[in-house]
Amino acid sequence: MTELTSLDAGHGGETHQTADADHPVLTTNHGTPVSDNQNQLKAGPRGPVLLEDEVYREKINHFDHERIPERIVHARGSAAHGYFECTESLADITVADLFQKKGQRTDVFTRFSTVAGGAGSIDTPRDVRGFAVKFYTREGNWDLVGNNIPVFFIQDAIKFPDLIHAAKMEADRGYPQAATAHDTFWDFISLMPESTHMIMWAMSDRTLPRTFANMEGFGVHTFRFINKAGKSTFVKFHWKPKAGLASTIWDETVKIAGADPDFQRRDLFERIERGDYPEWELGLQLFDEEFANSQPYDVLDATKIIPEEVLPVRIVGKMVLNRYPDNYFAETEQAAFVPSHVVPGIGFSNDPLLQGRLFSYTDTQLSRLGSVNFHQLPINSAKGRAEAAGCPFMNQQRDGHMQMAVPKGRANYEPNSLAKAGEPGGAREDAKGGYKTFPSDEEGPKLRVRPESFADHYSHARLFFRSMDPAEQAHIASALVFELSKVSLEHIRLQMLANLRNVDESLATRVADGLAMDLPLASPTAAPVLDMAPSPALRIIRGPLERHTLEGRNVGILIADGTDAGELNALKKAIKAAGGHAMTIAPKVGKVPLSDGSAIAADAQLFGQPSVTVDACAVILSEKAAGKLVKEGAAVQWVMDAFGHLKAIGANAAAKPLLDKAGVEADEGVTDLGGFVEAAKKRYWDREPNVRTLA
Ligand code: HDE
């Protein structure tokens, strides 16, 4: 028998755990030791409860106020701590402290999120992912608050509330949650041609990332670097995942949402626990005014990219996430990312979307975190500066809700002559090292206009679609058919089809055909649509960041009573040697008797671990177990989904009846156990036309 834990019996069958050398004394928030955490104070054992019970009242009172308003967008997210390492000095381009010396490390906190769903929604809707990095530099915090897509839906921040209202659940009915496949979203998009490029990305596999570790990240806007001489260089930021880009199939994504709504945050947690630290390279596109002026689009327009083939990405650092937060609320939920938080050497461009964001984020923290002192929360505190200079901040700002600091001295204004040495009231300007804004020449009439250079809404959408692998093009067309089929109002569908004709005639035709609708006339364009050179760097499938590997990936092995112990152990060893993570899955989890008389506990149970949760699937069964499992829906579905989701399937001979029942056809990705580890390193895109109809 296993002893569970020590419980002291009290009155009436209640149980208590008592403080000892390893377990500190429980106290109230004001430090009073608590004698009983199980019972309210009553007038007699069966009497009414007394209002004077401060232990109870404080506990419930705190609980009643535990929630804070969730983020209005990017509410659902997960984060990790880690470090950024500079791998190439940029001292000639920027004075930013973190880029000065090769090998220099800066702590980071990085949060990934979905955009539209609430905090309690799923990890895997079709949605853009936020990719927000807080660098704790020695000269203050720099927040690079980006997405996993390098462009955005709108060109001007004033439209953001409309975009988000249209995307979130509809105002009257309160659904759908975390989904763009509904009337109001597509109504807005159909009337907003500047969204078309972003829509190509949103309908592509980019919005179905397999894990956070398999996403690129982008700063989106053009920023500035400023060097010692005061010279400015334009910069666009890119994060390139070491694990490569990888996405899921739509049907797989939908099933993951049911099987494990926390799929991506669990993956992040488990990767870090295993020591498979997610890692990205930081890349830069650096350019000057002359380059900007030579391009057929405006670099201030966040609906445009600079193709990597035109301006290569220069790798200057890496980010490793190696520590999961100790407390989700204190760190992930209370983290406040603010794009206007930059450090000396980094500045802004006039991108009107970026400029609008510079106001919004501090403002939202005030309603979310409820205090101007949100910079004092441990996760937001400038700990890099604290380490370098002995304090996270120094100024004469005072008071406000939840003031945590106790600043000493009389002087709380500046200039002053009263502050004693070291007192915060004595903090003074640093004309040389302090933050300096790049003194760009700005002049012009006050106007509410969009520059003419922003008028082309379709060339980059066309560039993106035509750069895709044929499989990806089919996914985009099918996603559009799916989303528009959920749109009930015909005029919205027609307007979308009219817009798509400006992107690519074949795309519009495929979508119209998928909806069984006639193509309307193309919508008018504000500028000629250009045929730009395709950019293969934009592909996931057969693109430069598609990695054929098992490193960091999960392999499910379906086993049952009588599974051959030798085959199982050899496969587990081979998976580990290839850097993968093997997970045994069985109809009963506690004990699986193997062929050699031994028994193991399975890692997961068949119903709870459908094959959508793993990257490749092996099946090792005895003849008897295979005979039983052909009549088990979950087992048949396990194999059928693996095949339908284009995964490698490796099986021993006895498992064949199960594969046959699941409709598995022979192809390159279906192997015996010997060939499986090699086969498991990729998906089989060529199988797709055999398993589903795509638009
Ligand atoms: Fe955000 N966005 N955003 N956004 N955004 C917020 O700030 C906003 C935009 C992004 O993990 C909010 O703290 C406006 C682009 C991320 O905590 C809010 C506009 C990009 C996160 C806000 C944009 C982003 C946010 C809500 C139009 C990619 C999550 C909660 C100009 C470059 C950060 C919060 C985290 C969060 C406003 C557009 C990325 C309301 C006005 C473009 C990753 O301030």
Side-chain angles (χ1 to χ4, degrees), residues 205-226:
D205 298 346
R206 294 276 178 159
T207 44
L208 312 176
R210 178 74 188 164
T211 73
F212 295 137
N214 294 120
M215 307 193 305
E216 273 183 292
F218 303 93
V220 177
H221 314 280
T222 297
F223 289 84
R224 287 180 188 278
F225 273 158
I226 304 144

Side-chain angles (χ1 to χ4, degrees), residues 226-232 438-439:
I226 304 144
N227 74 3
K228 246 196 233 101
K231 185 174 168 262
S232 147
F438 179 70

Side-chain angles (χ1 to χ4, degrees), residues 331-608:
E331 302 183 271
T332 310
E333 195 59 13
Q334 293 198 115
F337 291 91
V338 183
S340 54
H341 290 173
V342 289
V343 291
I346 300 174
F348 312 114
S349 71
N350 286 348
D351 172 346
L353 197 72
L354 172 60
Q355 293 277 327
R357 294 179 72 206
L358 301 183
F359 163 73
S360 176
Y361 289 67
T362 314
D363 187 42
T364 209
Q365 308 314 339
L366 296 182
S367 82
R368 212 167 66 75
L369 298 170
S371 165
V372 285
N373 293 314
F374 68 85
H375 59 285
Q376 296 183 18
L377 293 168
I379 195 65
N380 297 325
S381 177
K383 64 176 179 174
R385 188 181 190 282
E387 271 164 35
C391 56
F393 63 94
M394 266 289 164
N395 58 43
Q396 290 79 17
Q397 294 174 38
R398 293 289 182 272
D399 310 341
H401 271 292
M402 292 293 158
Q403 176 57 256
M404 303 290 165
V406 185
K408 287 194 179 143
R410 272 174 96 182
N412 56 359
Y413 54 92
E414 198 269 342
N416 73 70
S417 62
L418 301 189
K420 298 198 185 114
E423 280 184 1
R428 292 183 182 179
E429 298 161 358
D430 174 3
K432 222 169 128 240
Y435 183 84
K436 281 200 224 53
T437 302
F438 179 70
S440 56
D441 279 330
E442 309 292 350
E443 207 183 341
K446 290 182 187 171
L447 295 168
R448 286 187 190 275
V449 290
R450 198 73 57 84
E452 267 313 308
S453 52
F454 280 33
D456 175 4
H457 300 325
Y458 293 108
S459 302
H460 279 236
R462 177 177 292 179
L463 160 73
F464 182 79
F465 183 72
R466 294 193 180 164
S467 301
M468 293 292 100
D469 182 84
E472 291 174 309
Q473 290 186 337
H475 293 169
I476 293 172
S478 302
L480 281 162
V481 170
F482 171 81
E483 297 261 326
L484 294 176
S485 71
K486 296 266 183 183
V487 167
S488 64
L489 301 167
E490 197 188 10
H491 74 272
I492 298 176
R493 290 184 188 165
L494 284 170
Q495 184 61 48
M496 274 314 302
L497 290 172
N499 294 357
L500 290 176
R501 288 193 77 168
N502 294 326
V503 178
D504 185 279
E505 201 58 40
S506 75
L507 172 64
T509 310
R510 286 160 80 168
V511 177
D513 184 52
L515 293 166
M517 288 174 70
D518 294 329
L519 269 183
L521 289 176
S523 51
T525 61
V529 187
L530 308 175
D531 289 316
M532 298 170 72
S535 167
L538 299 175
R539 291 180 190 161
I540 301 179
I541 299 176
R542 292 179 265 257
L545 291 178
E546 186 185 57
R547 290 191 64 212
H548 293 175
T549 181
L550 263 195
E551 274 169 42
R553 296 195 177 157
N554 295 317
V555 180
I557 311 176
L558 182 58
I559 59 171
D561 289 10
T563 284
D564 189 289
E567 282 179 339
L568 176 60
N569 291 335
L571 187 63
K572 276 170 123 175
K573 220 166 121 197
I575 291 167
K576 191 160 179 218
H581 175 242
M583 184 190 290
T584 49
I585 300 168
K588 290 185 186 170
V589 71
K591 197 180 347 159
V592 187
L594 301 179
S595 60
D596 62 357
S598 66
I600 58 163
D603 297 310
Q605 201 259 353
L606 178 57
F607 292 94

Side-chain angles (χ1 to χ4, degrees), residues 262-337:
D262 309 304
F263 183 70
Q264 286 172 338
R265 67 174 59 181
R266 186 189 310 280
D267 178 81
L268 182 64
F269 187 92
E270 288 178 352
R271 260 174 213 268
I272 291 176
E273 279 218 318
R274 285 203 301 266
D276 264 340
Y277 301 137
E279 190 172 324
W280 287 262
E281 287 180 326
L282 178 68
L284 308 176
Q285 283 180 303
L286 295 163
F287 56 102
D288 56 16
E289 292 270 359
E290 200 186 331
F291 172 90
N293 295 336
S294 69
Q295 300 308 303
Y297 51 86
D298 198 324
V299 298
L300 301 183
D301 174 355
T303 67
K304 308 292 192 291
I305 55 162
I306 303 177
E308 288 185 34
E309 289 79 359
V310 176
L311 183 61
V313 172
R314 177 169 152 193
I315 303 299
V316 299
K318 68 169 182 177
M319 172 170 72
V320 177
L321 300 181
N322 56 11
R323 184 162 66 85
Y324 209 73
D326 290 316
N327 184 277
Y328 183 85
F329 180 85
E331 302 183 271
T332 310
E333 195 59 13
Q334 293 198 115
F337 291 91

